[in-house]
Amino acid sequence: MKRILVTGGAGFLGSHLCERLVASGSDVLCVDNFFTGNKENIKHLLGHPHFELMRHDVTFPLYEEVDEIYNLACPASPVHYQSDPVQTTKTSVHGAINMLGLAKRVKAKILQASTSEVYGDPEVQPQSEAYWGRVNPIGIRSCYDEGKRCAETLFFDYWRQHHLRIKVARIFNTYGPRMQPGDGRVVSNFIVQALKGDGITIYGDGNQTRSFCYVDDLIDALIRTMDTGDEFTGPVNIGNPSEISILEFAKIVIKLTGSKSKLVFKPLPQDDPKQRQPDINLAKNQLDWYPKVDLINGLKKTIAYFNV
């Protein structure tokens, strides 16, 4: 039985990953400082003999014996990562150093949950792993964008210098049950506003695009990435290549919720990317992966979660 460490394991993605790993027969150590994580997300696992919860902040070293590490710890929505930008950068950078140090000591395989935000406000569409990105290093989003870019740097330096077994997955917009209602992400924002009958907030003209991947598909891709041979390091894009405008997405949410909400337009936030669409050819070829859950069915499940 493998012992697997999941940092940020009580968060949106982390809790789904812990659940899947426990179901597969692994022994899972969930680590979270509960800055954005929630015990409600993993309470159904607390009595399981192969699940353990530890309150810990990854900016401090951790000493455990594990076979694999999924490093998901970091606030991932603008509302959360901009509330304490210094801590956000520390979580990405110090957290990566500490988890890489642990992986080196126990000879564990380690996966970094990176982000599409490493591409910044892109000049190419769709974004492939070969694209270096266009990131503002001093903007209000840079604590997250540059923190994640630095974490990738550290992972590849540990790979080159210490021959560590690494995996880097660049996660694009993901949605599903256990998203936080106040996290400022477009999916949760629109659903909550629609269910309340409030105005749907559209930033800019709504023609900026996003690509939304359902959480079950995303978790499947992360596990497949970890299970690849040591010769495959990534980075690999994980996301849904189906692109949709924010305006069109808002109309779909209104229709699915049966809401009478109206659209409310506000100025576009600083450094908000105009386009976001992954090129997932590498994931298709190396992971034999492609998202299976279509947007309508995924949204119905997500709306049902919020509508309680």
Side-chain angles (χ1 to χ4, degrees):
M1 180 184 293
K2 287 189 293 189
R3 189 162 193 247
I4 302 176
L5 167 63
V6 179
T7 71
F12 164 46
L13 295 182
S15 62
H16 284 277
L17 177 60
C18 287
E19 189 175 69
R20 186 81 67 88
L21 292 172
V22 168
S24 71
S26 297
D27 197 46
V28 176
L29 172 60
C30 168
V31 167
D32 207 296
N33 70 348
F34 298 104
F35 176 63
T36 58
N38 190 332
K39 284 184 181 178
E40 287 293 312
N41 291 338
I42 43 89
K43 69 177 183 180
H44 61 294
L45 296 173
L46 291 176
H48 198 286
H50 299 305
F51 180 80
E52 180 183 353
L53 175 63
M54 176 189 296
R55 181 185 288 270
H56 180 81
D57 190 318
V58 296
T59 60
F60 297 94
L62 182 63
Y63 303 98
E64 290 288 335
E65 300 297 322
V66 295
D67 302 298
E68 293 177 355
I69 302 169
Y70 288 85
N71 187 36
L72 275 62
C74 190
S77 70
V79 168
H80 292 139
Y81 65 64
Q82 290 173 10
S83 68
D84 192 344
V86 173
Q87 184 64 26
T88 296
T89 304
K90 288 172 67 177
T91 300
S92 288
V93 178
H94 292 187
I97 291 170
N98 288 329
M99 291 306 107
L100 287 163
L102 173 61
K104 179 186 173 188
R105 182 178 67 82
V106 301
K107 296 181 172 55
K109 189 174 0 178
I110 182 169
L111 180 145
Q112 167 68 6
S114 191
T115 173
S116 61
E117 298 303 324
V118 300
Y119 299 121
D121 190 3
E123 299 165 300
V124 300
Q125 186 76 354
Q127 294 84 54
S128 75
E129 294 85 354
Y131 178 53
W132 288 0
R134 178 172 172 262
V135 175
N136 176 2
I138 59 171
I140 60 173
R141 300 170 68 102
S142 58
C143 59
Y144 183 69
D145 301 358
E146 296 287 28
K148 288 290 191 177
R149 285 165 68 97
C150 185
E152 287 197 14
T153 299
L154 286 162
F155 266 68
F156 279 91
D157 283 338
Y158 267 78
W159 172 65
R160 283 184 287 260
Q161 187 172 339
H162 301 297
H163 309 293
L164 213 61
R165 294 180 296 157
I166 68 161
K167 312 289 178 185
V168 175
R170 291 175 176 166
I171 298 172
F172 282 67
N173 291 64
T174 305
Y175 70 101
R178 299 182 198 152
M179 295 185 80
Q180 292 192 33
D183 64 7
R185 299 183 192 184
V186 63
V187 176
S188 49
N189 267 8
F190 285 6
I191 291 175
V192 170
Q193 289 171 338
L195 289 174
K196 289 181 176 179
D198 297 339
I200 304 291
T201 306
I202 305 286
Y203 293 102
D205 58 12
N207 289 319
Q208 64 270 36
T209 64
R210 295 294 183 269
S211 305
F212 299 105
C213 184
Y214 189 66
V215 62
D216 288 354
D217 285 329
L218 187 279
I219 297 304
D220 184 42
L222 289 182
I223 293 173
R224 286 177 183 233
T225 302
M226 180 65 92
D227 289 344
T228 55
D230 293 349
E231 73 283 354
F232 182 73
T233 60
V236 57
N237 289 338
I238 305 297
N240 194 320
S242 298
E243 189 180 17
I244 186 172
S245 74
I246 295 297
L247 196 58
E248 184 181 355
F249 181 71
K251 292 175 182 177
I252 291 173
V253 171
I254 290 173
K255 182 178 180 180
L256 290 178
T257 55
S259 176
K260 296 182 179 180
S261 294
K262 304 297 182 184
L263 303 181
V264 177
F265 291 85
K266 293 187 177 182
L268 199 67
Q270 180 185 338
D271 300 328
D272 192 60
K274 309 297 188 300
Q275 294 177 308
R276 184 67 82 233
Q277 181 189 19
D279 179 330
I280 63 167
N281 283 315
L282 185 62
K284 288 181 186 177
N285 295 332
Q286 293 293 328
L287 310 179
D288 190 25
W289 177 86
Y290 190 89
K292 299 175 181 177
V293 181
D294 66 78
L295 183 63
I296 300 301
N297 285 327
L299 278 176
K300 286 179 179 178
K301 294 178 182 179
T302 310
I303 290 167
Y305 170 78
F306 281 104
N307 193 21
V308 291

